[in-house]
Amino acid sequence: MARNIAFNEEEAIQKAMDVFWEKGYKGTSLRDLTDAMKINSSSLYNTIGDKQELFVKCVKHYTEIRKRDLDKRLAGTDSPFSILVKYIDDAVNVIISGENSCMAVKAAFEVATNDKRVKDILKEDSDYAYRFLHQLIKKAIENGEISDEEDPELLADYFISVWAGWYESYILHKDPIKIKKMARYFIRQISK
Amino acid sequence: MARNIAFNEEEAIQKAMDVFWEKGYKGTSLRDLTDAMKINSSSLYNTIGDKQELFVKCVKHYTEIRKRDLDKRLAGTDSPFSILVKYIDDAVNVIISGENSCMAVKAAFEVATNDKRVKDILKEDSDYAYRFLHQLIKKAIENGEISDEEDPELLADYFISVWAGWYESYILHKDPIKIKKMARYFIRQISK
DNA sequence: TTAATTCTGAATTGTTTGTTTCAGAATTGC
DNA sequence: GCAATTCTGAAACAAACAATTCAGAATTAA
């Protein structure tokens, strides 16, 4: 019988993800990847596949982490509105404290236009965030914390868009106050 | 005395810009560029410079076109508020009718993090749009078309962010209605 | 026409790219 | 321990990459 694979695939993908996240798809060479993953290219090709395949797996990994995060936020006993506010606060803190932008946003602009698989994964990720926001907003409206004149579907889409734009703003201006103000404005607007 | 350059530099940069716009910086090879520009690589290196230099010139060219567009919008006799609404409408139409995203947004995510020159050009471009929006909103508040409780600086930043996010939304969902709804929501919110 | 200068195009540079090969080390079940 | 199987690592692959070279064509002003 055969021996087992000597490297931990999930750990390796995590390492590869970090490199792709920083350098982008085209900006990352296979040597960058194998160096970070600490495996030989033959092992990579025998187990995971080629560069594209690896990238797809990294994006999938990235979105799975985000999915788990959203699930955890729903698991608590906080009110829908306070979950929402906490989520927005945390999103702002991730933007203004991280060196890098969101990998999903970067990949959307660089890769999703050419690679259907990546696009579908990111679309699924976006839809998941949409449903997360949508249900919270809907419940918050029922609780009377958000005005019933607001459209939960629209607001969910709207937040996802502003949030992506905040990353671009922060790349260019590196101004935390700007982002914080916009977040506060968004919350104030939807608050009854 | 010496002969003149046989190719039109601005035309060549326009062609190069189209390629960079579509394929990104890393995704564009020098062959792609010289093919589109219809010049030899030696001519390119003798007149414009290397790939980076060319990209910087292309981004600059892109932002100059946008600058001229904003200036033209201010030149008319329309009210500040209607200039604003028309600008937003046009922005939406560009997003939902174009195959590609905004080059400035794409470049911000792919290149601006590594290349200071590109970042500075894009920052300047963003600041120009900011001033454009800011003055229109301010005047619209003075005219009573926008509530004086709104903060023109915040709203200008806010629109620039949502607008960038709309591009990501459209890449993933290709849903014109989504974008139109969000634009209408933004206009309705600021309308007195 | 001429001499000075500059631009052009084909060929080529060394490097880096993604990918494959294959001999041998490692691990397994029996 | 052994045979079967599979993983590993160094080396090598062709292709693509950005960039350079240089001889000669083209253009200029006198």
Side-chain angles (χ1 to χ4, degrees):
Chain A
M1 269 293 166
R3 60 189 277 201
N4 297 326
I5 299 177
F7 70 95
N8 182 322
E9 181 162 330
E10 199 181 325
E11 269 180 34
I13 285 183
Q14 172 74 40
K15 297 274 185 195
M17 192 192 80
D18 291 338
V19 184
F20 275 132
W21 192 349
E22 191 200 329
K23 304 193 168 188
Y25 178 72
K26 286 269 184 184
T28 302
S29 76
L30 223 84
R31 275 176 183 81
D32 292 334
L33 292 166
T34 49
D35 284 355
M37 299 165 86
K38 275 163 191 152
I39 60 167
N40 194 272
S41 57
S42 73
S43 300
L44 174 61
Y45 277 80
N46 280 335
T47 53
I48 295 171
D50 62 10
K51 193 187 173 189
Q52 274 204 56
E53 199 67 43
L54 175 59
F55 186 73
V56 168
K57 290 217 164 96
C58 287
V59 174
K60 191 101 198 78
H61 182 64
Y62 186 82
T63 60
E64 267 158 15
I65 292 169
R66 300 223 299 190
K67 200 176 159 201
R68 255 176 269 149
D69 172 65
L70 296 189
D71 290 345
K72 203 185 280 175
R73 289 174 188 277
L74 289 177
T77 54
D78 294 349
S79 80
F81 188 73
S82 59
I83 295 176
L84 198 61
V85 171
K86 175 126 190 11
Y87 176 68
I88 295 170
D89 273 354
D90 289 350
V92 169
N93 283 327
V94 168
I95 293 171
I96 67 178
S97 66
E99 284 299 294
N100 211 340
S101 310
C102 167
M103 193 200 184
V105 178
K106 284 181 77 170
F109 282 104
E110 194 201 342
V111 188
T113 29
N114 309 318
D115 189 320
K116 196 186 178 309
R117 282 191 300 172
V118 171
K119 187 185 139 186
D120 287 344
I121 294 167
L122 294 177
K123 188 167 143 56
E124 175 60 35
D125 176 63
S126 173
D127 287 342
Y128 204 84
Y130 171 84
R131 288 193 292 272
F132 170 80
L133 292 166
H134 180 256
Q135 66 179 293
L136 288 178
I137 294 165
K138 212 173 157 194
K139 282 180 189 162
I141 291 174
E142 286 164 11
N143 289 357
E145 292 163 312
I146 295 179
S147 162
D148 60 3
E149 284 177 20
E150 296 286 358
D151 176 353
E153 292 163 29
L154 173 62
L155 279 185
D157 276 330
Y158 201 80
F159 178 75
I160 292 172
S161 286
V162 210
W163 165 82
W166 289 345
Y167 275 106
E168 201 225 356
S169 168
Y170 198 69
I171 289 173
L172 299 182
H173 303 100
K174 280 271 181 295
D175 186 345
I177 311 290
K178 254 191 213 287
I179 313 294
K180 282 183 183 169
K181 271 191 185 166
M182 289 191 268
R184 238 179 286 143
Y185 179 71
F186 180 81
I187 293 172
R188 194 165 54 79
Q189 268 191 328
I190 64 169
S191 300
K192 202 170 183 177
Chain B
M1 271 292 163
R3 61 189 278 202
N4 296 325
I5 299 176
F7 71 95
N8 182 321
E9 181 161 331
E10 200 182 324
E11 269 180 33
I13 284 183
Q14 172 72 41
K15 297 275 185 194
M17 192 193 80
D18 291 338
V19 183
F20 275 133
W21 192 350
E22 190 200 328
K23 303 193 169 190
Y25 177 72
K26 287 269 184 182
T28 302
S29 75
L30 223 79
R31 264 232 172 68
D32 292 334
L33 293 166
T34 49
D35 283 355
M37 300 165 85
K38 275 163 192 153
I39 61 168
N40 195 274
S41 58
S42 73
S43 301
L44 175 61
Y45 277 82
N46 281 335
T47 53
I48 295 170
D50 63 10
K51 193 187 171 188
Q52 273 203 58
E53 199 68 43
L54 176 60
F55 186 73
V56 168
K57 291 216 163 94
C58 287
V59 174
K60 191 103 196 79
H61 182 65
Y62 186 83
T63 60
E64 269 158 15
I65 292 170
R66 299 222 299 189
K67 200 177 160 201
R68 257 175 268 148
D69 173 65
L70 296 189
D71 291 344
K72 203 184 282 176
R73 289 173 187 276
L74 290 177
T77 55
D78 292 350
S79 79
F81 188 72
S82 60
I83 294 176
L84 197 62
V85 171
K86 174 131 189 13
Y87 175 69
I88 295 170
D89 272 354
D90 289 351
V92 168
N93 283 327
V94 168
I95 292 170
I96 66 178
S97 65
E99 283 298 295
N100 212 339
S101 309
C102 167
M103 193 198 185
V105 178
K106 283 182 78 169
F109 283 103
E110 194 200 341
V111 188
T113 30
N114 309 319
D115 189 321
K116 197 189 178 308
R117 282 191 301 170
V118 171
K119 187 186 139 184
D120 287 343
I121 294 168
L122 294 178
K123 189 167 142 57
E124 175 62 36
D125 175 63
S126 173
D127 287 341
Y128 204 84
Y130 171 85
R131 289 193 293 272
F132 170 81
L133 292 166
H134 180 255
Q135 65 178 294
L136 288 177
I137 293 165
K138 213 173 156 193
K139 283 179 189 161
I141 290 174
E142 288 164 11
N143 289 357
E145 292 163 314
I146 294 179
S147 162
D148 60 2
E149 284 177 20
E150 296 287 358
D151 177 353
E153 294 163 29
L154 173 62
L155 279 185
D157 276 330
Y158 201 80
F159 179 74
I160 291 172
S161 286
V162 210
W163 166 81
W166 288 346
Y167 274 105
E168 202 225 356
S169 168
Y170 198 68
I171 289 173
L172 298 183
H173 303 101
K174 282 270 183 295
D175 186 346
I177 311 288
K178 253 189 214 288
I179 313 295
K180 283 183 182 168
K181 270 190 184 167
M182 287 191 270
R184 238 178 286 144
Y185 179 72
F186 180 81
I187 293 172
R188 193 165 55 79
Q189 268 191 326
I190 64 170
S191 302
K192 202 170 184 175

Coordinates of all heavy atoms in Angstrom, one line a residue, chain A residues 1-4 6-7 40 42-43 46, chain D residues 3-12:
Chain A
M1 N 0.8 -1.2 0.0 CA 0.0 0.0 0.0 C 0.9 1.3 0.0 O 2.0 1.2 0.3 CB -0.9 0.0 1.2 CG -2.3 -0.6 1.0 SD -3.2 0.3 -0.2 CE -4.5 -0.9 -0.6
A2 N 0.2 2.3 -0.3 CA 0.9 3.6 -0.5 C 1.1 4.4 0.8 O 0.3 4.2 1.7 CB 0.2 4.4 -1.5
R3 N 2.0 5.2 0.8 CA 2.2 6.1 2.0 C 1.2 7.3 1.9 O 0.6 7.5 0.9 CB 3.7 6.7 1.9 CG 4.0 7.5 0.7 CD 5.4 7.8 0.6 NE 5.8 9.0 1.3 CZ 6.8 9.7 1.1 NH1 7.7 9.4 0.1 NH2 7.1 10.8 1.8
N4 N 1.2 8.0 3.0 CA 0.2 9.2 3.0 C 0.9 10.5 2.6 O 2.1 10.6 2.6 CB -0.3 9.3 4.4 CG -1.1 8.1 4.8 OD1 -1.8 7.5 4.0 ND2 -1.1 7.8 6.1
A6 N 2.5 13.9 2.9 CA 3.3 14.4 4.0 C 2.9 15.8 4.5 O 3.3 16.2 5.6 CB 4.8 14.3 3.6
F7 N 2.2 16.5 3.7 CA 1.9 17.9 4.1 C 0.4 18.0 4.4 O -0.5 17.3 3.8 CB 2.4 18.9 3.1 CG 1.6 18.9 1.8 CD1 0.5 19.8 1.6 CD2 1.9 18.0 0.8 CE1 -0.2 19.8 0.4 CE2 1.2 18.0 -0.4 CZ 0.2 18.9 -0.6
N40 N 7.1 20.9 -2.7 CA 7.7 20.9 -4.0 C 6.5 21.1 -5.0 O 5.4 20.7 -4.8 CB 8.5 19.6 -4.3 CG 9.3 19.7 -5.5 OD1 8.9 19.4 -6.6 ND2 10.6 20.1 -5.3
S42 N 6.0 19.4 -7.6 CA 5.5 18.2 -8.1 C 4.4 17.7 -7.1 O 3.4 17.1 -7.5 CB 6.6 17.1 -8.2 OG 7.0 16.7 -6.9
S43 N 4.6 17.9 -5.8 CA 3.6 17.6 -4.8 C 2.3 18.4 -5.0 O 1.2 17.9 -4.9 CB 4.2 17.8 -3.4 OG 5.3 17.0 -3.2
N46 N 0.5 17.0 -8.0 CA 0.0 15.7 -7.8 C -1.2 15.7 -6.9 O -2.0 14.8 -6.9 CB 1.1 14.8 -7.2 CG 2.0 14.3 -8.3 OD1 1.6 14.2 -9.4 ND2 3.2 14.0 -7.9
Chain D
dA3 P 10.4 -9.3 -2.3 OP1 11.0 -10.6 -2.7 OP2 11.3 -8.1 -2.2 O5' 9.1 -9.0 -3.2 C5' 7.9 -9.6 -2.9 C4' 6.8 -8.6 -2.9 O4' 6.9 -7.7 -1.9 C3' 6.8 -7.8 -4.2 O3' 5.5 -7.8 -4.8 C2' 7.2 -6.4 -3.8 C1' 6.6 -6.4 -2.3 N9 7.3 -5.4 -1.4 C8 8.7 -5.2 -1.3 N7 9.0 -4.3 -0.4 C5 7.8 -3.9 0.1 C6 7.5 -3.0 1.1 N6 8.4 -2.3 1.8 N1 6.2 -2.8 1.3 C2 5.3 -3.5 0.7 N3 5.5 -4.4 -0.3 C4 6.8 -4.6 -0.5
dA4 P 5.2 -7.2 -6.2 OP1 4.5 -8.3 -7.0 OP2 6.4 -6.6 -6.8 O5' 4.2 -6.1 -5.9 C5' 3.1 -6.3 -4.9 C4' 2.6 -4.9 -4.5 O4' 3.4 -4.3 -3.5 C3' 2.4 -3.9 -5.6 O3' 1.0 -3.5 -5.6 C2' 3.4 -2.8 -5.4 C1' 3.5 -2.9 -3.9 N9 4.8 -2.4 -3.4 C8 6.1 -2.8 -3.8 N7 7.1 -2.2 -3.2 C5 6.5 -1.4 -2.2 C6 6.9 -0.6 -1.2 N6 8.2 -0.4 -1.0 N1 6.0 0.0 -0.4 C2 4.7 -0.2 -0.6 N3 4.2 -1.0 -1.6 C4 5.1 -1.6 -2.3
dT5 P 0.5 -2.6 -6.8 OP1 -1.0 -3.0 -7.0 OP2 1.5 -2.7 -8.0 O5' 0.5 -1.2 -6.3 C5' -0.1 -0.9 -5.0 C4' 0.5 0.4 -4.4 O4' 1.9 0.3 -4.1 C3' 0.4 1.6 -5.4 O3' -0.6 2.5 -4.9 C2' 1.8 2.2 -5.4 C1' 2.4 1.6 -4.1 N1 3.9 1.5 -4.2 C2 4.6 2.1 -3.2 O2 4.1 2.8 -2.3 N3 6.0 2.0 -3.3 C4 6.7 1.2 -4.3 O4 7.9 1.2 -4.3 C5 5.8 0.6 -5.3 C7 6.5 -0.2 -6.3 C6 4.5 0.7 -5.2
dT6 P -1.0 3.8 -5.7 OP1 -2.5 4.0 -5.5 OP2 -0.4 3.7 -7.1 O5' -0.3 4.9 -4.9 C5' -0.2 4.8 -3.4 C4' 0.7 5.9 -2.9 O4' 2.1 5.5 -3.0 C3' 0.6 7.2 -3.7 O3' 0.7 8.3 -2.8 C2' 1.8 7.2 -4.6 C1' 2.8 6.5 -3.6 N1 4.0 5.9 -4.2 C2 5.2 6.1 -3.6 O2 5.4 6.8 -2.6 N3 6.3 5.5 -4.3 C4 6.2 4.8 -5.4 O4 7.3 4.3 -5.9 C5 4.9 4.6 -6.0 C7 4.8 3.8 -7.2 C6 3.9 5.2 -5.4
dC7 P 0.1 9.7 -3.2 OP1 -1.2 10.0 -2.5 OP2 0.3 9.9 -4.6 O5' 1.2 10.6 -2.4 C5' 1.6 10.3 -1.1 C4' 3.1 10.6 -0.9 O4' 3.9 9.8 -1.8 C3' 3.4 12.1 -1.3 O3' 4.1 12.7 -0.2 C2' 4.3 12.0 -2.5 C1' 4.9 10.6 -2.4 N1 5.3 10.0 -3.7 C2 6.7 9.7 -3.9 O2 7.5 9.9 -3.0 N3 7.0 9.1 -5.1 C4 6.1 8.8 -6.0 N4 6.5 8.2 -7.1 C5 4.7 9.1 -5.8 C6 4.4 9.7 -4.6
dT8 P 4.4 14.3 -0.2 OP1 4.3 14.8 1.2 OP2 3.5 14.8 -1.3 O5' 5.9 14.3 -0.6 C5' 6.9 13.7 0.2 C4' 8.2 13.8 -0.5 O4' 8.2 13.0 -1.7 C3' 8.7 15.2 -0.9 O3' 9.9 15.5 -0.2 C2' 8.8 15.1 -2.4 C1' 9.0 13.7 -2.7 N1 8.5 13.2 -4.0 C2 9.4 12.6 -4.9 O2 10.6 12.5 -4.6 N3 8.9 12.2 -6.1 C4 7.6 12.3 -6.5 O4 7.2 11.9 -7.6 C5 6.7 12.9 -5.5 C7 5.2 13.0 -5.8 C6 7.2 13.3 -4.3
dG9 P 10.3 17.0 0.1 OP1 10.8 17.1 1.5 OP2 9.2 17.9 -0.4 O5' 11.5 17.2 -0.9 C5' 12.5 16.2 -0.9 C4' 13.4 16.4 -2.2 O4' 12.7 15.8 -3.3 C3' 13.7 17.8 -2.6 O3' 15.1 17.9 -2.8 C2' 12.8 18.0 -3.9 C1' 12.7 16.6 -4.4 N9 11.5 16.4 -5.2 C8 10.3 16.8 -5.0 N7 9.4 16.4 -5.8 C5 10.1 15.6 -6.7 C6 9.7 14.9 -7.8 O6 8.5 14.8 -8.3 N1 10.7 14.2 -8.4 C2 12.0 14.2 -8.0 N2 12.9 13.5 -8.7 N3 12.4 14.9 -6.9 C4 11.4 15.6 -6.3
dA10 P 15.8 19.3 -2.8 OP1 16.6 19.4 -1.7 OP2 14.8 20.4 -3.1 O5' 16.7 19.2 -4.1 C5' 17.3 17.9 -4.4 C4' 17.4 17.7 -5.9 O4' 16.2 17.4 -6.5 C3' 18.0 18.9 -6.6 O3' 19.1 18.6 -7.4 C2' 16.8 19.4 -7.5 C1' 16.0 18.1 -7.7 N9 14.6 18.3 -7.9 C8 13.7 19.1 -7.2 N7 12.5 19.0 -7.6 C5 12.5 18.1 -8.6 C6 11.5 17.6 -9.4 N6 10.2 17.9 -9.4 N1 11.8 16.7 -10.4 C2 13.1 16.3 -10.5 N3 14.2 16.7 -9.7 C4 13.8 17.6 -8.8
dA11 P 19.9 19.7 -8.3 OP1 21.3 19.3 -8.2 OP2 19.4 21.0 -7.9 O5' 19.4 19.3 -9.8 C5' 19.2 18.0 -10.1 C4' 18.4 17.9 -11.4 O4' 17.0 18.1 -11.2 C3' 18.8 19.0 -12.4 O3' 19.2 18.4 -13.7 C2' 17.6 19.9 -12.6 C1' 16.4 18.9 -12.2 N9 15.2 19.6 -11.7 C8 15.1 20.5 -10.7 N7 13.9 20.9 -10.5 C5 13.1 20.2 -11.4 C6 11.7 20.1 -11.6 N6 10.9 20.9 -10.9 N1 11.3 19.3 -12.6 C2 12.2 18.6 -13.2 N3 13.5 18.5 -13.1 C4 13.9 19.4 -12.1
dA12 P 19.8 19.2 -14.9 OP1 20.8 18.4 -15.6 OP2 20.1 20.6 -14.4 O5' 18.5 19.3 -15.8 C5' 17.7 18.1 -16.0 C4' 16.4 18.5 -16.8 O4' 15.5 19.1 -15.9 C3' 16.7 19.5 -17.9 O3' 16.2 18.9 -19.1 C2' 15.9 20.7 -17.5 C1' 14.8 20.1 -16.6 N9 14.3 21.1 -15.6 C8 15.0 21.8 -14.7 N7 14.3 22.6 -13.9 C5 13.0 22.3 -14.3 C6 11.7 22.7 -13.8 N6 11.6 23.6 -12.8 N1 10.6 22.2 -14.4 C2 10.8 21.3 -15.4 N3 11.9 20.8 -15.9 C4 13.0 21.4 -15.3

